[in-house]
Amino acid sequence: MPFVTGSFSGKITQQSALPLTDQPNHNLSIGEVTGTQKSDDPLWNDANITYWAITDLIDGEGSQRGYYNNVHGDKGHEWGTFEGKVTGGGTTVEGTWKITAGNGEFGGVTGSGNFKTVMKSETDIEATWDGNYELARTQTA
């Protein structure tokens, strides 16, 4: 399986938060982030990513889970899930991602890895990631 690394600068395009009353400083939020991937791997470089995250925080610490979609131009797209631990008063998320499916050249793709996102402002994030993937055509060859 090829090893791949990448990064992207993302913008929060939609966000909604709900303060919960079960305990002090408990917040639940959902957000959408978009960006463009940068990677030495030409299959991932310039892919457009959108992800949707549900974040559960108590005093700025907690968890984040969600779904992502990478559009690789006319080559197709792949999508999957992620989950991570939120620290730093809600500014950093570190966790794992997993490809669940794809289409076009990415039909039957498998893969997983690690990621880290850091909030740079109220609407801007920086993300780095790495992992392994295998295209279906490679699996059957």
Side-chain angles (χ1 to χ4, degrees):
M1 292 181 107
F3 181 74
V4 62
T5 64
S7 65
F8 67 89
S9 296
K11 285 264 188 212
I12 298 172
T13 56
Q14 298 184 63
Q15 186 173 19
S16 184
L18 179 65
L20 305 181
T21 59
D22 61 333
Q23 54 191 308
N25 300 315
H26 189 186
N27 290 289
L28 189 62
S29 65
I30 187 168
E32 177 183 77
V33 174
T34 62
T36 301
Q37 303 278 15
K38 298 297 175 208
S39 176
D40 288 339
D41 186 316
L43 288 176
W44 263 255
N45 193 45
D46 292 329
N48 293 314
I49 185 169
T50 301
Y51 74 82
W52 303 270
I54 299 169
T55 307
D56 186 358
L57 300 178
I58 299 173
D59 292 326
E61 311 285 314
S63 64
Q64 187 177 84
R65 295 176 180 269
Y67 304 91
Y68 75 87
N69 183 41
N70 271 321
V71 177
H72 302 266
D74 59 2
K75 293 179 178 156
H77 72 280
E78 43 78 32
W79 55 92
T81 60
F82 65 89
E83 61 181 56
K85 181 178 179 181
V86 183
T87 59
T91 61
T92 302
V93 182
E94 291 186 75
T96 59
W97 57 267
K98 182 177 180 181
I99 298 171
T100 56
N103 68 15
E105 289 184 29
F106 296 89
V109 66
T110 60
S112 62
N114 302 298
F115 74 90
K116 179 177 181 179
T117 62
V118 178
M119 292 289 298
K120 295 297 185 178
S121 73
E122 291 288 317
T123 59
D124 297 312
I125 67 152
E126 294 291 328
T128 56
W129 52 268
D130 63 41
N132 293 289
Y133 73 93
E134 190 165 11
L135 298 176
R137 68 175 186 249
T138 308
Q139 296 169 15
T140 59

